[in-house]
Amino acid sequence: MSATGLDVFDRTLQTTHIWLDEIMADLGPDRRVAWHALGAVLHALRDRLQLGLAVHLGAQLPLLVRGLYYDQWRPTEENLKLRTAEEFLDHVAQGLESTRPVNARQATLTVLRVLDHHIDPHQIEKVRHALPDNIRKLWSGAKDQAGRAA
């Protein structure tokens, strides 16, 4: 039996809970923190990517997560010029200010691993390729850390 009466809502709720559970496995058992971490990292990616690629990434996300991704977005042809991993992590940290203290690097690596796990690999590769080298290395660090945890 459907919880909401609409299969599309049930699927997105289930998928979102799976993503949040994976984030909570690293950041602790606080769903609110997991939600904020997911949003902070997605916003940092969205704001750094060129408009077309940001939209293509959004299309890959589950419906509920897609709403989080687009929340408060003012799309322009100019993306944020986050050039270093530190600038990227600072942007993530700003998105985490309304929650309990969370290490921005750990939150970023965790969310990037979740994206690697659930998003089409070709789309992920396009996104990674569009990022500056040191931010791309941060993403590679997420993959390396996942390999050691497996």
Side-chain angles (χ1 to χ4, degrees), residues 26 85 105-106 108-113 116 128 133-149:
D26 276 359
R105 177 177 290 276
Q106 182 183 6
T108 299
L109 295 177
T110 297
V111 171
L112 294 177
R113 279 195 306 273
D116 275 339
R128 288 183 66 223
D133 188 50
N134 47 27
I135 299 173
R136 195 174 322 130
K137 286 179 184 172
L138 184 68
W139 201 322
S140 296
K143 290 176 115 176
D144 294 343
Q145 203 171 50
R148 285 193 299 272

Side-chain angles (χ1 to χ4, degrees), residues 4 18-19 22-23 31 35 41 59 68 75 79 84 87 92-93 104 111 113-114 116 124 148:
T4 65
I18 290 168
W19 287 32
E22 290 179 19
I23 294 168
R31 197 165 294 281
W35 179 255
V41 175
L68 174 65
N79 55 345
T84 68
E87 290 172 328
V92 171
V111 171
R113 279 195 306 273
V114 170
D116 275 339
I124 290 297
R148 285 193 299 272

Side-chain angles (χ1 to χ4, degrees), residues 85-120:
E86 290 73 28
E87 290 172 328
F88 188 87
L89 292 172
D90 285 346
H91 194 66
V92 171
Q94 289 173 11
L96 293 170
E97 288 177 347
S98 66
T99 187
R100 72 162 164 79
V102 177
N103 180 291
R105 177 177 290 276
Q106 182 183 6
T108 299
L109 295 177
T110 297
V111 171
L112 294 177
R113 279 195 306 273
V114 170
L115 294 176
D116 275 339
H117 185 236
H118 294 284
I119 301 294
D120 177 83

